[in-house]
Amino acid sequence: MQRRGFLKMAGLGMAGVLTAACDGTSHWKAWFGQGQGNLPMADWQGTEAERQAAHVLNRMTYGPRPGDVETLVRQGWKDFLENQLQPEAIPDFQASLLVRRISTLSLRAPELFDFPAEEILTELRQATLLRALYSERQLLEVMVEFWGDHFNIFAGKGDCAWLKVTDDRDVLRTHALGNFRRLLRAVATSPAMLVYLDGTANVRGNPNENYARELMELHTLGVNGGYSQTDVKELARALTGWQVANRFRRGTVSPDESRHDGSPVVVLGQEVTGTAEAELDRVLDILCTHPATAHFLAFKLCRRFVSDQPSAALVQQVATRFIQTGGEIKPVLRILFHSEEFQSAPPKFKRPYRFAVSALRALGARCDGRQPLQEQFRDMGQLPFHWPTPNGYPDVAEAWAAHVLPRWNFACDLAAGRIQGTRIETAGIVSAGEKFAETLLQRRLAPHEQEAFALVTSEAERIALLLCLPDFQFG
Amino acid sequence: MNQPIFILINLRGGVDGLNFLVPYREAEYYRSRPGLAVPPPHAPGPAALDLDGFWGAHPALAPLLRLYERQELAFIQAVGWPGDSHSHFEAWEEIESGVAGGTIPTTGWLARLLQAKSATTRTPLRGVAFGEVLPKVLLGTLGVSAFRSLRDYRLRVGEKSGLALALGKIYEKHDTPFSRMGSQTLAGLKQVEQVSGSLDFKQTDYPKTEFGERLFAVEQLIRAGVGLEAVSLDLPGWDTHFGQGSTSGAFANLAAELASAITTFWNRLEDQRDRLCLLAMSEFGRRVAENGSGGTDHGQGGVMLVCGKGIRGGRVYGEWPGLAPERQVGPGDVRITTDYRQVLLELAHSLVPNGALPTLFPGYSPTKALGFCAG
C-alpha cells in the first residue's frame, strides 16, 4: 500500500473544521440538528467524486480502509450499492475465515448452554467486531447493527446471553436485507426477545404487557402511532402462550395452546382470535400494514443514514416505498441512498462504535476482536448487546457528544499499542510529519493545528491526536 | 461561594410506589396483591415500617427512617408524570425536558435552571451526570460533563506527554458545542486530578455497587470544591414485570441499595448538609394489582423521596386518591394528584431563593404548594 493511497482512504477530511458559531440554549439543535446543513466543505482538496465516495463509505460501510475511496471512484457508488444489496454474491474470504474459527457461533440453542455465558458473549462480540472490520459485506453488517438497535436485546437479562447468539444469526442476519414483516415474525418468536421482554411470562389469565407494549411503541407503530392503552392490553392477550423451553431443548420456542388466550380481542379496531400462531400472524399483519409503522421505520432509517433530523419529505418518500413494497428492505434502502438529501447530507456525529471501528479500518489495524478491544467499547459506552433498555443505543449526536474522553483514551491506547490483540503499523504511517496530517485531512493544517502537532513528539501520539480531531468524530 | 447542590437520582424503570410506600390501611391494596403486598406494621416477620399511621415504608428502606425521624427526609405520593402512554422512554423524555405533552424543548429543565443561575459559568464540573450519555435533563447549558466513574476520568498518556496541551489548542480554537465539550473535558481533567485519591471506596459503608460508587464520587467532588451544582445519576432496574418479590427479592434489593447509599452519603457529608438537596424520582408508578408473573405492569401515580436541610421532612406529602376500583384510572393505576412539575418547581425555588426563574416547565400552571420546602 502506498502511503498516499493509505492517507487518502481515511476520509478524515469530511467534516472540515467546525466553525459554526452559535450560543444560548438553542445551540444543540442549531448545530447538531437542521442547522448543520452548511458545514464548511470549502477546504476539501479532493475531487467531487472522491468527496462523494468518502461520504458513501462513511454511511454504507464502517468507514473507508486504505484504498477504498479510489476503488469506489472507479466503480461508481451506484454499482457499489447494488453489490452491497446482494451480500451473498460478494466473496468474503477474510471475514469468513476469521469468523469460522469461533466455535460457539454455529451452535444451536440447547448446545450453547454447555458454555459459560461470558465466553458465549465474548465470542459473539468478537464475531460482530471482526465482521464490521473485515467483511466485504459492509451494508449487511451496518443493517444488522441497525436492527440490533431497533430490536434491542440486553444480553444481561435471564438466558439472553446464550439466546442472543441465535437471535443474531437466525433472526437479524437472516432478515436484515429481506422483508420487514418476516423479520418481525422472526423477532416475535426469537427466544431472546421472548425472554428479554417477558413474552414467556405472558400467559392466559395472567397477561404480561411488556412485549406487547414495546412491539407497538418501539418495533412498529412508534409511541405516537395511534394505539391506545386498551390496544396494549388486548395485544398482550393475543400474544399469550409462546414458551421458551428451559429444560429439554432449552432455548427453543414453541406455542403452548394451553397457555394461549384464544378468545377474541380487538387490536387497533380489528378482531383477532384463534391459535397462538394464527393470532400472532394476524396482529403482525395489522401492525406491519399500518401507515404509522412505515413512517416510523422510515424515520429511523433516515435518522441513521442521513441526519439526526431528516426532513419530513424524505421520511414520507421512504415510507411510501415501504408501503408500496410491503416492507421490502432493499428497495427502501435504494430510494433512501439515491435521494438528494442523502447525497448532500452533512457529516453525522459518529457513535462510539462507529468512531472506533472506522479508526481501526482507516489505520488498517490487525485485531483479534477479543476482550481487551471489547473493554474499550465498554468504556466508550457502546459495547454491543449491552444497552439495558429496549429502545437501543441512541442515534443522535447530543446523546454522545459529552462523552469524549473515552474516545481520546481509545486513540491513545490504540496508537501506543496498548490494546492487546490489536496492532497498527505506525512506522508505515508516520514519516512525513505535517505532510502526513495534511494528506489525511485533505486540507492544509490551520496554524493552530500546526502548533498542536508540534506539541506532541512521539509517532504514536501524533496518530492519537489525529483520531482525536473534531473532524474524525463526524462522518 | 458555597452554592447549593442538587442531586437528582433517576430510579429508572418505574418504581412500584405502592410497595415503596405502603398504604397499609387500604384493604384494596391487600386484595389486589395477594402475592406481593408488604405486610402491615407489626405483622410477624418482615413488615412495613410505620410512618404516620397510614403509610408504611418498605422494610428495606429502614436506614432512611433515621433521616425521616430527624425531619430531613420526606416522601411524596400519588405524584407523577400526567401522560398516559405508560412508555418509559416518552415519560423520561418529557420529564427531563420539563413538559407533559405538547412541544418538547431541546433542553432539559435542570440545564435551564443552571442557565438561569448563571449563564456564563464555565466551570466544567458544574453539572455532572454519571453514565455513557449525557441525560436530557442536563442538556443545553455550559459546564456539564458525563462520565462513568471518577477513577477513569483521566487521559491515558505519560507524564511528559504534550497531548493534553495539543488537544487544548485544537478544541479551544473554535466555539462550537462539540469543541466546547472538548475544552470542558480538558478543564475537568485538571480539576479531577486534584480530587483526593486517599479516600478508599472499599472502606466506606456505601453499597459496593455502581450506584454506591457513583454516590461516593459525588461526595468526593463535593469535598474537592470543584463548583458542583447539579448531579444526575441513575439507579435502574425497577421495571419489575416479573418476579418483583415482596419483602425480599428484586425490588427489596434495589430499595435496600437506594436506602443504604443515600444514608451513607448523608451521614458522611454532615458538614456539608446545609448545601445539599437530594431528590429520587421515577417515571411512573405501577399497576395497583399484581400481574400473573409475580410482578406489576406500568402504572401512573408513584412516589418521590426528597431529602435536605431545607426540607420539612418527617411527613408524607400529597393528596391520597385512594385505591378503591372506582378511584383508579386507566388500566388500573393510582390516580396522580400531584404533577411531577409541582415538586420540581418548589425545589427549584428553594435552590434559587432570590432569583427569577425562567420557564422551567413550559405550559405548566402551578397549583397549591405542597410546602415541603422550608422557603
Side-chain angles (χ1 to χ4, degrees), chain A residues 196-215:
Chain A
Y196 177 50
L197 291 181
D198 302 319
T200 54
N202 183 28
V203 294
R204 184 174 65 187
N206 283 319
N208 184 304
E209 295 171 9
N210 203 6
Y211 176 59
R213 177 179 309 286
E214 308 307 9
L215 173 57

mmCIF file with all atom_site columns, all heavy atoms in Angstrom, chain A residues 196-215:
data_model
loop_
_atom_site.group_PDB
_atom_site.id
_atom_site.type_symbol
_atom_site.label_atom_id
_atom_site.label_alt_id
_atom_site.label_comp_id
_atom_site.label_asym_id
_atom_site.label_entity_id
_atom_site.label_seq_id
_atom_site.pdbx_PDB_ins_code
_atom_site.Cartn_x
_atom_site.Cartn_y
_atom_site.Cartn_z
_atom_site.occupancy
_atom_site.B_iso_or_equiv
_atom_site.pdbx_formal_charge
_atom_site.auth_seq_id
_atom_site.auth_comp_id
_atom_site.auth_asym_id
_atom_site.auth_atom_id
_atom_site.pdbx_PDB_model_num
ATOM 1   N N   . TYR A 1 196 ? -36.343 -11.523 26.997 1.00 0.00 ? 196 TYR A N   1
ATOM 2   C CA  . TYR A 1 196 ? -35.987 -10.143 27.332 1.00 0.00 ? 196 TYR A CA  1
ATOM 3   C C   . TYR A 1 196 ? -37.220 -9.317  27.694 1.00 0.00 ? 196 TYR A C   1
ATOM 4   O O   . TYR A 1 196 ? -37.200 -8.537  28.642 1.00 0.00 ? 196 TYR A O   1
ATOM 5   C CB  . TYR A 1 196 ? -35.247 -9.521  26.148 1.00 0.00 ? 196 TYR A CB  1
ATOM 6   C CG  . TYR A 1 196 ? -34.885 -8.067  26.316 1.00 0.00 ? 196 TYR A CG  1
ATOM 7   C CD1 . TYR A 1 196 ? -34.226 -7.613  27.466 1.00 0.00 ? 196 TYR A CD1 1
ATOM 8   C CD2 . TYR A 1 196 ? -35.184 -7.138  25.328 1.00 0.00 ? 196 TYR A CD2 1
ATOM 9   C CE1 . TYR A 1 196 ? -33.892 -6.282  27.617 1.00 0.00 ? 196 TYR A CE1 1
ATOM 10  C CE2 . TYR A 1 196 ? -34.844 -5.808  25.472 1.00 0.00 ? 196 TYR A CE2 1
ATOM 11  C CZ  . TYR A 1 196 ? -34.202 -5.378  26.614 1.00 0.00 ? 196 TYR A CZ  1
ATOM 12  O OH  . TYR A 1 196 ? -33.874 -4.058  26.759 1.00 0.00 ? 196 TYR A OH  1
ATOM 13  N N   . LEU A 1 197 ? -38.285 -9.454  26.902 1.00 0.00 ? 197 LEU A N   1
ATOM 14  C CA  . LEU A 1 197 ? -39.473 -8.636  27.159 1.00 0.00 ? 197 LEU A CA  1
ATOM 15  C C   . LEU A 1 197 ? -40.609 -9.437  27.810 1.00 0.00 ? 197 LEU A C   1
ATOM 16  O O   . LEU A 1 197 ? -41.786 -9.110  27.644 1.00 0.00 ? 197 LEU A O   1
ATOM 17  C CB  . LEU A 1 197 ? -39.931 -7.950  25.873 1.00 0.00 ? 197 LEU A CB  1
ATOM 18  C CG  . LEU A 1 197 ? -38.977 -6.853  25.371 1.00 0.00 ? 197 LEU A CG  1
ATOM 19  C CD1 . LEU A 1 197 ? -39.507 -6.208  24.099 1.00 0.00 ? 197 LEU A CD1 1
ATOM 20  C CD2 . LEU A 1 197 ? -38.733 -5.792  26.443 1.00 0.00 ? 197 LEU A CD2 1
ATOM 21  N N   . ASP A 1 198 ? -40.249 -10.453 28.562 1.00 0.00 ? 198 ASP A N   1
ATOM 22  C CA  . ASP A 1 198 ? -41.197 -11.196 29.380 1.00 0.00 ? 198 ASP A CA  1
ATOM 23  C C   . ASP A 1 198 ? -42.334 -11.823 28.581 1.00 0.00 ? 198 ASP A C   1
ATOM 24  O O   . ASP A 1 198 ? -43.415 -12.080 29.120 1.00 0.00 ? 198 ASP A O   1
ATOM 25  C CB  . ASP A 1 198 ? -41.792 -10.289 30.493 1.00 0.00 ? 198 ASP A CB  1
ATOM 26  C CG  . ASP A 1 198 ? -40.713 -9.720  31.385 1.00 0.00 ? 198 ASP A CG  1
ATOM 27  O OD1 . ASP A 1 198 ? -39.776 -10.469 31.717 1.00 0.00 ? 198 ASP A OD1 1
ATOM 28  O OD2 . ASP A 1 198 ? -40.801 -8.528  31.750 1.00 0.00 ? 198 ASP A OD2 1
ATOM 29  N N   . GLY A 1 199 ? -42.114 -12.070 27.291 1.00 0.00 ? 199 GLY A N   1
ATOM 30  C CA  . GLY A 1 199 ? -43.139 -12.727 26.483 1.00 0.00 ? 199 GLY A CA  1
ATOM 31  C C   . GLY A 1 199 ? -43.471 -14.112 27.009 1.00 0.00 ? 199 GLY A C   1
ATOM 32  O O   . GLY A 1 199 ? -44.618 -14.566 26.929 1.00 0.00 ? 199 GLY A O   1
ATOM 33  N N   . THR A 1 200 ? -42.482 -14.781 27.591 1.00 0.00 ? 200 THR A N   1
ATOM 34  C CA  . THR A 1 200 ? -42.744 -16.130 28.101 1.00 0.00 ? 200 THR A CA  1
ATOM 35  C C   . THR A 1 200 ? -43.606 -16.098 29.356 1.00 0.00 ? 200 THR A C   1
ATOM 36  O O   . THR A 1 200 ? -44.219 -17.089 29.720 1.00 0.00 ? 200 THR A O   1
ATOM 37  C CB  . THR A 1 200 ? -41.428 -16.857 28.445 1.00 0.00 ? 200 THR A CB  1
ATOM 38  O OG1 . THR A 1 200 ? -40.683 -16.038 29.342 1.00 0.00 ? 200 THR A OG1 1
ATOM 39  C CG2 . THR A 1 200 ? -40.591 -17.090 27.200 1.00 0.00 ? 200 THR A CG2 1
ATOM 40  N N   . ALA A 1 201 ? -43.631 -14.944 30.011 1.00 0.00 ? 201 ALA A N   1
ATOM 41  C CA  . ALA A 1 201 ? -44.453 -14.816 31.216 1.00 0.00 ? 201 ALA A CA  1
ATOM 42  C C   . ALA A 1 201 ? -45.877 -14.404 30.865 1.00 0.00 ? 201 ALA A C   1
ATOM 43  O O   . ALA A 1 201 ? -46.729 -14.275 31.741 1.00 0.00 ? 201 ALA A O   1
ATOM 44  C CB  . ALA A 1 201 ? -43.838 -13.787 32.165 1.00 0.00 ? 201 ALA A CB  1
ATOM 45  N N   . ASN A 1 202 ? -46.125 -14.176 29.598 1.00 0.00 ? 202 ASN A N   1
ATOM 46  C CA  . ASN A 1 202 ? -47.426 -13.683 29.155 1.00 0.00 ? 202 ASN A CA  1
ATOM 47  C C   . ASN A 1 202 ? -48.332 -14.871 28.827 1.00 0.00 ? 202 ASN A C   1
ATOM 48  O O   . ASN A 1 202 ? -48.235 -15.436 27.746 1.00 0.00 ? 202 ASN A O   1
ATOM 49  C CB  . ASN A 1 202 ? -47.194 -12.789 27.922 1.00 0.00 ? 202 ASN A CB  1
ATOM 50  C CG  . ASN A 1 202 ? -48.471 -12.152 27.425 1.00 0.00 ? 202 ASN A CG  1
ATOM 51  O OD1 . ASN A 1 202 ? -49.406 -11.927 28.199 1.00 0.00 ? 202 ASN A OD1 1
ATOM 52  N ND2 . ASN A 1 202 ? -48.517 -11.872 26.126 1.00 0.00 ? 202 ASN A ND2 1
ATOM 53  N N   . VAL A 1 203 ? -49.164 -15.259 29.783 1.00 0.00 ? 203 VAL A N   1
ATOM 54  C CA  . VAL A 1 203 ? -49.963 -16.464 29.597 1.00 0.00 ? 203 VAL A CA  1
ATOM 55  C C   . VAL A 1 203 ? -51.438 -16.186 29.870 1.00 0.00 ? 203 VAL A C   1
ATOM 56  O O   . VAL A 1 203 ? -51.785 -15.183 30.512 1.00 0.00 ? 203 VAL A O   1
ATOM 57  C CB  . VAL A 1 203 ? -49.483 -17.603 30.538 1.00 0.00 ? 203 VAL A CB  1
ATOM 58  C CG1 . VAL A 1 203 ? -48.086 -18.047 30.157 1.00 0.00 ? 203 VAL A CG1 1
ATOM 59  C CG2 . VAL A 1 203 ? -49.527 -17.142 31.986 1.00 0.00 ? 203 VAL A CG2 1
ATOM 60  N N   . ARG A 1 204 ? -52.286 -17.081 29.382 1.00 0.00 ? 204 ARG A N   1
ATOM 61  C CA  . ARG A 1 204 ? -53.733 -16.922 29.533 1.00 0.00 ? 204 ARG A CA  1
ATOM 62  C C   . ARG A 1 204 ? -54.103 -16.680 30.991 1.00 0.00 ? 204 ARG A C   1
ATOM 63  O O   . ARG A 1 204 ? -53.613 -17.375 31.884 1.00 0.00 ? 204 ARG A O   1
ATOM 64  C CB  . ARG A 1 204 ? -54.442 -18.185 29.037 1.00 0.00 ? 204 ARG A CB  1
ATOM 65  C CG  . ARG A 1 204 ? -55.959 -18.045 29.068 1.00 0.00 ? 204 ARG A CG  1
ATOM 66  C CD  . ARG A 1 204 ? -56.629 -19.226 28.449 1.00 0.00 ? 204 ARG A CD  1
ATOM 67  N NE  . ARG A 1 204 ? -56.374 -20.450 29.230 1.00 0.00 ? 204 ARG A NE  1
ATOM 68  C CZ  . ARG A 1 204 ? -56.742 -21.651 28.840 1.00 0.00 ? 204 ARG A CZ  1
ATOM 69  N NH1 . ARG A 1 204 ? -57.347 -21.806 27.680 1.00 0.00 ? 204 ARG A NH1 1
ATOM 70  N NH2 . ARG A 1 204 ? -56.494 -22.704 29.581 1.00 0.00 ? 204 ARG A NH2 1
ATOM 71  N N   . GLY A 1 205 ? -54.933 -15.702 31.210 1.00 0.00 ? 205 GLY A N   1
ATOM 72  C CA  . GLY A 1 205 ? -55.376 -15.394 32.573 1.00 0.00 ? 205 GLY A CA  1
ATOM 73  C C   . GLY A 1 205 ? -54.419 -14.493 33.334 1.00 0.00 ? 205 GLY A C   1
ATOM 74  O O   . GLY A 1 205 ? -54.803 -13.831 34.283 1.00 0.00 ? 205 GLY A O   1
ATOM 75  N N   . ASN A 1 206 ? -53.182 -14.469 32.912 1.00 0.00 ? 206 ASN A N   1
ATOM 76  C CA  . ASN A 1 206 ? -52.180 -13.623 33.572 1.00 0.00 ? 206 ASN A CA  1
ATOM 77  C C   . ASN A 1 206 ? -51.340 -12.879 32.543 1.00 0.00 ? 206 ASN A C   1
ATOM 78  O O   . ASN A 1 206 ? -50.149 -13.146 32.405 1.00 0.00 ? 206 ASN A O   1
ATOM 79  C CB  . ASN A 1 206 ? -51.258 -14.461 34.448 1.00 0.00 ? 206 ASN A CB  1
ATOM 80  C CG  . ASN A 1 206 ? -51.922 -14.845 35.749 1.00 0.00 ? 206 ASN A CG  1
ATOM 81  O OD1 . ASN A 1 206 ? -52.612 -14.038 36.364 1.00 0.00 ? 206 ASN A OD1 1
ATOM 82  N ND2 . ASN A 1 206 ? -51.728 -16.080 36.136 1.00 0.00 ? 206 ASN A ND2 1
ATOM 83  N N   . PRO A 1 207 ? -51.953 -11.988 31.796 1.00 0.00 ? 207 PRO A N   1
ATOM 84  C CA  . PRO A 1 207 ? -51.182 -11.338 30.730 1.00 0.00 ? 207 PRO A CA  1
ATOM 85  C C   . PRO A 1 207 ? -50.062 -10.460 31.283 1.00 0.00 ? 207 PRO A C   1
ATOM 86  O O   . PRO A 1 207 ? -50.183 -9.906  32.370 1.00 0.00 ? 207 PRO A O   1
ATOM 87  C CB  . PRO A 1 207 ? -52.223 -10.500 29.986 1.00 0.00 ? 207 PRO A CB  1
ATOM 88  C CG  . PRO A 1 207 ? -53.382 -10.375 30.912 1.00 0.00 ? 207 PRO A CG  1
ATOM 89  C CD  . PRO A 1 207 ? -53.355 -11.546 31.835 1.00 0.00 ? 207 PRO A CD  1
ATOM 90  N N   . ASN A 1 208 ? -48.966 -10.397 30.560 1.00 0.00 ? 208 ASN A N   1
ATOM 91  C CA  . ASN A 1 208 ? -47.843 -9.514  30.867 1.00 0.00 ? 208 ASN A CA  1
ATOM 92  C C   . ASN A 1 208 ? -47.667 -8.610  29.650 1.00 0.00 ? 208 ASN A C   1
ATOM 93  O O   . ASN A 1 208 ? -47.458 -9.084  28.538 1.00 0.00 ? 208 ASN A O   1
ATOM 94  C CB  . ASN A 1 208 ? -46.584 -10.339 31.128 1.00 0.00 ? 208 ASN A CB  1
ATOM 95  C CG  . ASN A 1 208 ? -45.406 -9.483  31.558 1.00 0.00 ? 208 ASN A CG  1
ATOM 96  O OD1 . ASN A 1 208 ? -45.029 -8.548  30.863 1.00 0.00 ? 208 ASN A OD1 1
ATOM 97  N ND2 . ASN A 1 208 ? -44.837 -9.797  32.704 1.00 0.00 ? 208 ASN A ND2 1
ATOM 98  N N   . GLU A 1 209 ? -47.770 -7.304  29.872 1.00 0.00 ? 209 GLU A N   1
ATOM 99  C CA  . GLU A 1 209 ? -47.862 -6.372  28.741 1.00 0.00 ? 209 GLU A CA  1
ATOM 100 C C   . GLU A 1 209 ? -46.525 -5.968  28.144 1.00 0.00 ? 209 GLU A C   1
ATOM 101 O O   . GLU A 1 209 ? -46.488 -5.228  27.157 1.00 0.00 ? 209 GLU A O   1
ATOM 102 C CB  . GLU A 1 209 ? -48.557 -5.080  29.201 1.00 0.00 ? 209 GLU A CB  1
ATOM 103 C CG  . GLU A 1 209 ? -49.980 -5.269  29.603 1.00 0.00 ? 209 GLU A CG  1
ATOM 104 C CD  . GLU A 1 209 ? -50.538 -4.014  30.254 1.00 0.00 ? 209 GLU A CD  1
ATOM 105 O OE1 . GLU A 1 209 ? -49.870 -2.966  30.226 1.00 0.00 ? 209 GLU A OE1 1
ATOM 106 O OE2 . GLU A 1 209 ? -51.657 -4.091  30.775 1.00 0.00 ? 209 GLU A OE2 1
ATOM 107 N N   . ASN A 1 210 ? -45.440 -6.389  28.738 1.00 0.00 ? 210 ASN A N   1
ATOM 108 C CA  . ASN A 1 210 ? -44.149 -5.805  28.373 1.00 0.00 ? 210 ASN A CA  1
ATOM 109 C C   . ASN A 1 210 ? -43.874 -5.891  26.862 1.00 0.00 ? 210 ASN A C   1
ATOM 110 O O   . ASN A 1 210 ? -43.625 -4.884  26.201 1.00 0.00 ? 210 ASN A O   1
ATOM 111 C CB  . ASN A 1 210 ? -43.038 -6.483  29.174 1.00 0.00 ? 210 ASN A CB  1
ATOM 112 C CG  . ASN A 1 210 ? -41.804 -5.631  29.309 1.00 0.00 ? 210 ASN A CG  1
ATOM 113 O OD1 . ASN A 1 210 ? -41.799 -4.460  28.904 1.00 0.00 ? 210 ASN A OD1 1
ATOM 114 N ND2 . ASN A 1 210 ? -40.748 -6.187  29.855 1.00 0.00 ? 210 ASN A ND2 1
ATOM 115 N N   . TYR A 1 211 ? -43.909 -7.091  26.324 1.00 0.00 ? 211 TYR A N   1
ATOM 116 C CA  . TYR A 1 211 ? -43.598 -7.230  24.896 1.00 0.00 ? 211 TYR A CA  1
ATOM 117 C C   . TYR A 1 211 ? -44.648 -6.556  24.019 1.00 0.00 ? 211 TYR A C   1
ATOM 118 O O   . TYR A 1 211 ? -44.309 -5.860  23.053 1.00 0.00 ? 211 TYR A O   1
ATOM 119 C CB  . TYR A 1 211 ? -43.454 -8.712  24.520 1.00 0.00 ? 211 TYR A CB  1
ATOM 120 C CG  . TYR A 1 211 ? -43.234 -8.895  23.035 1.00 0.00 ? 211 TYR A CG  1
ATOM 121 C CD1 . TYR A 1 211 ? -42.137 -8.303  22.392 1.00 0.00 ? 211 TYR A CD1 1
ATOM 122 C CD2 . TYR A 1 211 ? -44.128 -9.620  22.258 1.00 0.00 ? 211 TYR A CD2 1
ATOM 123 C CE1 . TYR A 1 211 ? -41.946 -8.452  21.022 1.00 0.00 ? 211 TYR A CE1 1
ATOM 124 C CE2 . TYR A 1 211 ? -43.934 -9.775  20.895 1.00 0.00 ? 211 TYR A CE2 1
ATOM 125 C CZ  . TYR A 1 211 ? -42.851 -9.191  20.275 1.00 0.00 ? 211 TYR A CZ  1
ATOM 126 O OH  . TYR A 1 211 ? -42.666 -9.317  18.924 1.00 0.00 ? 211 TYR A OH  1
ATOM 127 N N   . ALA A 1 212 ? -45.916 -6.717  24.375 1.00 0.00 ? 212 ALA A N   1
ATOM 128 C CA  . ALA A 1 212 ? -46.978 -6.116  23.566 1.00 0.00 ? 212 ALA A CA  1
ATOM 129 C C   . ALA A 1 212 ? -46.773 -4.607  23.431 1.00 0.00 ? 212 ALA A C   1
ATOM 130 O O   . ALA A 1 212 ? -46.899 -4.026  22.351 1.00 0.00 ? 212 ALA A O   1
ATOM 131 C CB  . ALA A 1 212 ? -48.340 -6.414  24.182 1.00 0.00 ? 212 ALA A CB  1
ATOM 132 N N   . ARG A 1 213 ? -46.406 -3.986  24.548 1.00 0.00 ? 213 ARG A N   1
ATOM 133 C CA  . ARG A 1 213 ? -46.215 -2.531  24.526 1.00 0.00 ? 213 ARG A CA  1
ATOM 134 C C   . ARG A 1 213 ? -45.046 -2.148  23.628 1.00 0.00 ? 213 ARG A C   1
ATOM 135 O O   . ARG A 1 213 ? -45.158 -1.260  22.774 1.00 0.00 ? 213 ARG A O   1
ATOM 136 C CB  . ARG A 1 213 ? -45.984 -2.021  25.945 1.00 0.00 ? 213 ARG A CB  1
ATOM 137 C CG  . ARG A 1 213 ? -45.693 -0.527  26.032 1.00 0.00 ? 213 ARG A CG  1
ATOM 138 C CD  . ARG A 1 213 ? -45.486 -0.080  27.467 1.00 0.00 ? 213 ARG A CD  1
ATOM 139 N NE  . ARG A 1 213 ? -46.569 -0.517  28.333 1.00 0.00 ? 213 ARG A NE  1
ATOM 140 C CZ  . ARG A 1 213 ? -47.775 0.017   28.348 1.00 0.00 ? 213 ARG A CZ  1
ATOM 141 N NH1 . ARG A 1 213 ? -48.047 1.033   27.547 1.00 0.00 ? 213 ARG A NH1 1
ATOM 142 N NH2 . ARG A 1 213 ? -48.711 -0.438  29.149 1.00 0.00 ? 213 ARG A NH2 1
ATOM 143 N N   . GLU A 1 214 ? -43.914 -2.819  23.827 1.00 0.00 ? 214 GLU A N   1
ATOM 144 C CA  . GLU A 1 214 ? -42.740 -2.433  23.030 1.00 0.00 ? 214 GLU A CA  1
ATOM 145 C C   . GLU A 1 214 ? -42.920 -2.817  21.565 1.00 0.00 ? 214 GLU A C   1
ATOM 146 O O   . GLU A 1 214 ? -42.372 -2.159  20.678 1.00 0.00 ? 214 GLU A O   1
ATOM 147 C CB  . GLU A 1 214 ? -41.467 -3.064  23.596 1.00 0.00 ? 214 GLU A CB  1
ATOM 148 C CG  . GLU A 1 214 ? -41.219 -2.832  25.087 1.00 0.00 ? 214 GLU A CG  1
ATOM 149 C CD  . GLU A 1 214 ? -41.247 -1.384  25.547 1.00 0.00 ? 214 GLU A CD  1
ATOM 150 O OE1 . GLU A 1 214 ? -41.621 -0.492  24.763 1.00 0.00 ? 214 GLU A OE1 1
ATOM 151 O OE2 . GLU A 1 214 ? -40.923 -1.146  26.730 1.00 0.00 ? 214 GLU A OE2 1
ATOM 152 N N   . LEU A 1 215 ? -43.674 -3.870  21.315 1.00 0.00 ? 215 LEU A N   1
ATOM 153 C CA  . LEU A 1 215 ? -43.945 -4.251  19.924 1.00 0.00 ? 215 LEU A CA  1
ATOM 154 C C   . LEU A 1 215 ? -44.612 -3.094  19.182 1.00 0.00 ? 215 LEU A C   1
ATOM 155 O O   . LEU A 1 215 ? -44.255 -2.785  18.046 1.00 0.00 ? 215 LEU A O   1
ATOM 156 C CB  . LEU A 1 215 ? -44.833 -5.505  19.901 1.00 0.00 ? 215 LEU A CB  1
ATOM 157 C CG  . LEU A 1 215 ? -45.361 -5.979  18.545 1.00 0.00 ? 215 LEU A CG  1
ATOM 158 C CD1 . LEU A 1 215 ? -44.230 -6.253  17.569 1.00 0.00 ? 215 LEU A CD1 1
ATOM 159 C CD2 . LEU A 1 215 ? -46.219 -7.246  18.717 1.00 0.00 ? 215 LEU A CD2 1
#
